[in-house]
Amino acid sequence: MKIALIGYGKMGKEIEKIAVSRGHEIGLKIDIDNPQDLTPENLKKCDVAIEFTIPASAVKNYYTCFEAGTPVVSGTTGWLGNKEEVYNKCSETNGTFFYASNFSIGVNLFFELNKKLAELIAPYPNYDVEMTEVHHIHKLDAPSGTAISLAEDILEKISHKNAWVNDTSPAQNEFNIKSERRGEVPGIHSVKYESEVDFIEITHSVKSRSGLAFGAVLAAEYCKDNKGILTMKDLLNI
């Protein structure tokens, strides 16, 4: 396939390396130096776009892809306040939009483990829950999109919690997500349930960005034969 890379930072370069190793061609690279090149005309020359940018520009980037009729795979987080609007626009234009808060295969299996643990522990309110997420100092949003996905799944399973807070003392019906930013940490997510007598903790730790990049390329390949609003659940059949 011919791939457009929207965002050519560390993730973009890692995606390029993996895409080329799998026989794909990079047809367009968009970075801070050439945003004017992100046009429907240029996108139409590509089979799919992979977008890793910043929350402020993500939605506009999606719409340009929809206008071009080019499927878009996005790992940008922090834009979900516009989620309904973006999904509606995708449907209106008969477009394809593959979004994941995290493209790592391991993280998406961790999502399923998190849901199962929350379901098992839900009848035992003496176990209180909290989450910690650690990322590099360059990450702009907090909590991470991955942490929010984990939190939403917990809230769906545990009826005595109905909200999460970030770096704040939670009320009884809430739980806290602690966000730490240090060094060049690619990403660590931990969910902990603690009672007076013990605790249960599950953790996913990223070793490098290559797992995320590999998942994004797999998602781009998946878009070749699948349309609409897609997620890692569709790709991994879970």
Side-chain angles (χ1 to χ4, degrees):
M1 295 189 301
K2 187 174 284 190
I3 298 174
L5 292 179
I6 307 174
Y8 195 59
K10 291 178 180 178
M11 269 300 295
K13 291 179 175 64
E14 193 67 34
I15 289 167
E16 177 182 35
K17 185 172 26 172
I18 290 172
V20 170
S21 76
R22 292 176 66 82
H24 304 303
E25 177 187 347
I26 306 303
L28 179 66
K29 297 177 189 176
I30 302 296
D31 202 1
I32 55 173
D33 298 325
N34 67 331
Q36 70 280 358
D37 291 339
L38 184 60
T39 64
E41 292 72 30
N42 286 337
L43 284 167
K44 284 176 182 177
K45 300 171 187 174
C46 298
D47 299 301
V48 63
I50 301 180
E51 198 267 3
F52 277 79
T53 61
I54 59 174
S57 60
V59 172
K60 183 180 177 182
N61 295 339
Y62 304 155
Y63 287 2
T64 306
C65 292
F66 297 158
E67 185 182 345
T70 304
V72 56
V73 172
S74 179
T76 303
T77 58
W79 60 272
L80 290 177
N82 301 103
K83 179 179 177 180
E84 186 175 351
E85 173 191 327
V86 169
Y87 281 16
N88 287 341
K89 189 73 170 178
C90 179
S91 299
E92 288 168 11
T93 57
N94 195 30
T96 297
F97 181 61
F98 193 125
Y99 170 70
S101 59
N102 194 309
F103 282 95
S104 160
I105 292 171
V107 159
N108 282 275
L109 298 177
F110 186 67
F111 286 152
E112 298 305 305
L113 179 62
N114 173 64
K115 283 192 285 188
K116 186 62 178 177
L117 179 55
E119 182 182 318
L120 288 170
I121 215 158
Y124 306 100
N126 54 310
Y127 283 91
D128 206 10
V129 60
E130 69 174 17
M131 192 187 309
T132 302
E133 58 99 355
V134 185
H135 281 87
H136 51 82
I137 58 173
H138 315 289
K139 188 166 179 59
L140 299 177
D141 55 320
S144 68
T146 300
I148 292 172
S149 295
L150 290 164
E152 288 176 348
D153 287 339
I154 290 169
L155 293 175
E156 190 177 303
K157 300 293 183 183
I158 298 181
S159 60
H160 57 273
K161 299 290 184 182
N162 56 31
W164 57 265
V165 295
N166 186 220
D167 290 329
T168 303
S169 296
Q172 191 169 359
N173 63 324
E174 299 172 335
F175 68 92
N176 187 34
I177 303 174
K178 299 176 183 176
S179 295
E180 299 179 25
R181 299 290 176 262
R182 61 174 190 254
E184 296 296 329
V185 178
I188 303 170
H189 293 86
S190 296
V191 179
K192 183 177 182 180
Y193 292 90
E194 187 165 11
S195 73
E196 289 185 0
V197 296
D198 60 6
F199 69 84
I200 302 169
E201 187 169 20
I202 56 173
T203 298
H204 180 275
S205 184
V206 178
K207 290 184 176 181
S208 76
R209 291 183 175 85
S210 60
L212 305 173
F214 178 68
V217 174
L218 288 183
E221 294 171 353
Y222 187 79
C223 288
K224 184 178 180 182
D225 299 313
N226 297 274
K227 284 187 64 67
I229 295 167
L230 306 170
T231 70
M232 290 296 284
K233 281 182 169 293
D234 300 305
L235 175 61
L236 300 176
N237 195 27
I238 55 177

